[in-house]
Amino acid sequence: MPTKRDYYETLGVSRGADEEDIRKAFRKLAFQYHPDRNKESGAEDKFKEINEAYQVLSDAEKRAAYDRYGHAGVQVDASRGFSGMEDLGGFGDIFDAFFGNGRSRGEPQRGNDLRHNISLTLGNAYAGIEKEIIIERQEVCEACRGSGAAQGSQPVKCATCNGAGQVKRVQQSLFGQFVNVATCNKCNGRGQVISKPCPECRGNRLQQKRRTLLIKVPPGVEDGQQIRLSGEGEPNPFGGMRGNLYVHIAVQEHEHFTRENDNVIYELSVNVAQAALGEEIEVPTLEGSAKVKVPAGVQDGKSIKLPGRGIPHLGAPGRGDQHVVVRIAVPQNLTDQQKKLFQELAKSLNGPEDARSKNEKDKGVFSGFKKP
């Protein structure tokens, strides 16, 4: 037989840990490895190991025996990994809330959640929009009203599990009594058997339907966010709350604007003359146009802010800003006249005195270097 791990090591606590520390450690690991949440290979065995360690260390007498004699001093029913949660002082309800879509013990599980993707423009995200979407989802069968049985008949209690949906098998071994709880294979856990299935839904209680819904997208949404429509998911065929519909938002890239959080970036191309002399230029925004003053002598990459011209803050007052980034466009294909003008400008900006002064400075840069 494989060697069992130390129970304290299994829960990650010291031997001096108090009852609350042990309980917190168990809750954290149980959430991580519970088979309803963790589908990785070995998660179920890990959960059983964690539960076994907790059964011993949470019981004062068993813990004392374990501290004195080790594993030989205690005998644990490892099969209680999934049926003994009610012994944890209400912890079973917490598990149901975490893994069972918010249901409390004894209540039907909530129906399946659904996801629908929509694509928006940056203008839609800026202003908000009402949008119709078409979804496919399971609905309660209208013919049998969700009973699954043909007209004139009703489902009957499963004789195998007596309506419980589960069967328990008790086995004896050298290590004690093991109780195995499994889903009833006669009714597939439903607790009822349908002798005459509904011809419309074939006893499934649900039918696939197409629905049109109107959603309201608020101003300020970002790419990757989602909107929850409570109760617009699928129903549980055995009762309980409907699931939710999650609308996932993708915001398209804009031809001229780039979004950074709630700010909008616009790149303004100016020619050399405009950059040198300065000019008031009209630029586009998400709500029309605005004039921006480009200062004389502006350098490439300079940002000019237009306050309050950005994206509205989602769920809060105010907006971001628009930043106009200046890009100086250097002409490539000059006419003969433009070349002459630039040559005259170059002489004007860099006259003989300026040229001599610059040459002297350049010589000074290399004066400290000697030829080999």
Side-chain angles (χ1 to χ4, degrees), residues 69-300:
Y69 302 108
H71 291 96
V74 293
Q75 188 172 4
V76 180
D77 183 0
S79 68
R80 292 182 63 208
F82 307 105
S83 61
M85 300 305 296
E86 62 273 11
D87 298 333
L88 304 181
F91 188 52
D93 291 336
I94 298 174
F95 251 118
D96 285 338
F98 190 83
F99 297 112
N101 295 328
R103 64 188 176 98
S104 60
R105 193 184 311 154
E107 294 181 359
Q109 185 174 348
R110 198 182 70 191
N112 293 329
D113 293 333
L114 298 177
R115 169 173 167 155
H116 184 83
N117 300 328
I118 62 171
S119 179
L120 303 179
T121 65
L122 185 59
N124 297 149
Y126 168 80
I129 188 175
E130 288 189 354
K131 191 177 183 69
E132 281 192 348
I133 61 173
I134 299 176
I135 63 170
E136 297 274 351
R137 69 184 180 192
Q138 295 284 326
E139 298 279 3
V140 173
C141 177
E142 297 175 358
C144 65
R145 298 182 180 180
S147 71
Q151 189 174 5
S153 66
Q154 290 292 332
V156 296
K157 183 189 294 186
C158 176
T160 302
C161 64
N162 197 31
Q166 294 179 328
V167 291
K168 295 182 179 181
R169 296 182 178 89
V170 180
Q171 296 178 332
Q172 295 288 341
S173 73
L174 295 174
F175 302 99
Q177 188 181 75
F178 290 84
V179 179
N180 180 35
V181 181
T183 300
C184 177
N185 56 14
K186 179 67 175 179
C187 64
N188 294 322
R190 297 178 178 179
Q192 295 178 328
V193 176
I194 300 173
S195 57
K196 294 182 179 180
C198 170
E200 294 294 325
C201 66
R202 299 181 181 179
N204 293 321
R205 294 178 166 88
L206 301 177
Q207 284 182 306
Q208 192 79 358
K209 295 288 185 180
R210 175 174 291 188
R211 298 298 184 196
T212 301
L213 302 175
L214 180 67
I215 63 170
K216 294 183 178 181
V217 180
V221 294
E222 293 189 56
D223 182 74
Q225 290 184 327
Q226 62 183 15
I227 299 173
R228 183 182 68 185
L229 300 181
S230 299
E232 292 293 352
E234 294 184 332
N236 184 317
F238 303 100
M241 296 176 61
R242 295 181 68 105
N244 299 324
L245 172 64
Y246 293 90
V247 180
H248 186 84
I249 297 171
V251 180
Q252 304 168 10
E253 292 185 1
H254 195 275
E255 183 180 2
H256 302 296
F257 300 110
T258 302
R259 179 175 180 174
E260 291 185 2
N261 298 321
D262 287 340
N263 295 324
V264 174
I265 313 299
Y266 174 76
E267 292 194 352
L268 173 64
S269 178
V270 299
N271 59 42
V272 176
Q274 290 172 313
L277 301 175
E279 186 176 341
E280 189 174 68
I281 302 176
E282 195 172 75
V283 298
T285 72
L286 288 171
E287 57 178 11
S289 61
K291 290 185 177 181
V292 60
K293 185 172 179 59
V294 178
V298 68
Q299 300 298 302
D300 186 78

Side-chain angles (χ1 to χ4, degrees), residues 355-370:
R356 275 197 299 271
S357 176
K358 183 177 184 302
N359 290 336
E360 290 300 324
K361 290 180 180 179
D362 291 344
K363 288 180 181 178
V365 173
F366 296 100
S367 61
F369 295 90
K370 295 181 179 180

